[in-house]
């Protein structure tokens, strides 16, 4: 057994690493690690302690588009600390024109978006662990009602 504790970073192939880096820096307020070129970029979360959280390798403008139902990575999930952060992320993703969907996974509340190359990513808020008991064995997906979740888990919610 390998004692994994967390995912340290992800690396994506993109058409132009500089374009993708600008998108992710704008979407997540990532900061660059070293020089950004059309061929490679490494980014880190300002609040994190990784050397880099996301690597981007440019493969050129003629790269094949992402195909639905293919073998390979489906998406990356970035967790935010509060439900208010998720609501703010929704607004920002709408401004970027990249919001692709919203889901309630019981223990997590999720937004889905796409980068300029069509790579899908998730922004998610995980409900407090002590509240998982009702949902831990459940699977499935429901429609996300973000207003209801803000009332339930937001700073002004009754605890």
């Amino acid at each position: 057994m390998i004692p994994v504790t967390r995912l340290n970073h992800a690396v994506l192939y993109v058409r132009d690493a500089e374009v993708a880096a600008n998108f992710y820096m704008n979407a997540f307020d990532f900061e660059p690690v070293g020089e950004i070129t059309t061929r490679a970029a490494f980014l880190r979360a300002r609040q994190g302690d990784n050397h880099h959280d996301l690597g981007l390798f440019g493969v050129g403008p003629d790269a094949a588009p992402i195909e639905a139902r293919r073998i390979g990575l489906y998406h990356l999930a970035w967790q935010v600390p509060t439900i208010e952060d998720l609501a703010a992320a929704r607004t920002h993703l709408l401004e970027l024109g990249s919001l692709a969907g919203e889901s309630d996974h019981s223990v997590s509340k999720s937004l889905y978006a796409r980068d300029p190359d069509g790579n899908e990513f998730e922004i998610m808020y995980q409900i407090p662990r002590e509240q998982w008991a009702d949902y831990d064995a459940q699977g499935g997906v429901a429609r996300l009602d973000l207003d209801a979740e803000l009332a339930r888990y937001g700073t002004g919610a009754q605890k």
Side-chain angles (χ1 to χ4, degrees):
M1 298 271 252
I2 300 171
V4 172
T5 57
R6 67 185 177 106
L7 179 66
N8 181 272
H9 67 273
V11 178
L12 299 175
Y13 288 121
V14 296
R15 287 183 180 85
D16 183 317
E18 187 173 15
V19 169
N22 286 330
F23 172 83
Y24 283 102
M25 288 188 300
N26 186 8
F28 295 108
D29 194 31
F30 281 163
E31 62 184 348
V33 177
E35 181 183 2
I36 295 174
T37 69
T38 60
R39 302 285 308 185
F42 295 92
L43 307 174
R44 87 172 128 232
R46 292 181 192 275
Q47 302 82 7
D49 59 1
N50 283 342
H51 175 269
H52 64 280
D53 295 286
L54 183 62
L56 303 164
F57 291 142
V59 295
D62 59 343
I66 292 174
E67 297 176 27
R69 299 195 42 83
R70 78 201 182 309
I71 300 299
L73 179 68
Y74 168 37
H75 69 258
L76 306 171
W78 306 100
Q79 186 171 337
V80 295
T82 70
I83 193 69
E84 290 89 357
D85 292 325
L86 189 69
R90 183 183 188 282
T91 299
H92 191 57
L93 293 170
L94 283 168
E95 291 167 353
L96 292 173
S98 65
L99 186 66
E102 304 177 10
S103 296
D104 184 335
H105 300 283
S106 300
V107 299
S108 64
K109 314 306 173 185
S110 301
L111 305 173
Y112 295 90
R114 290 188 181 88
D115 75 7
D117 289 295
N119 292 304
E120 189 165 320
F121 59 89
E122 175 182 356
I123 309 297
M124 51 87 65
Y125 166 71
Q126 183 171 279
I127 69 170
R129 179 67 175 105
E130 61 273 9
Q131 296 179 25
W132 284 16
D134 295 340
Y135 307 111
D136 212 11
Q138 294 178 5
V141 180
R143 185 184 70 78
L144 178 63
D145 182 343
L146 196 49
D147 289 334
E149 301 304 337
L150 281 163
R152 185 171 180 188
Y153 298 108
T155 55
Q158 297 294 325
K159 303 290 180 195

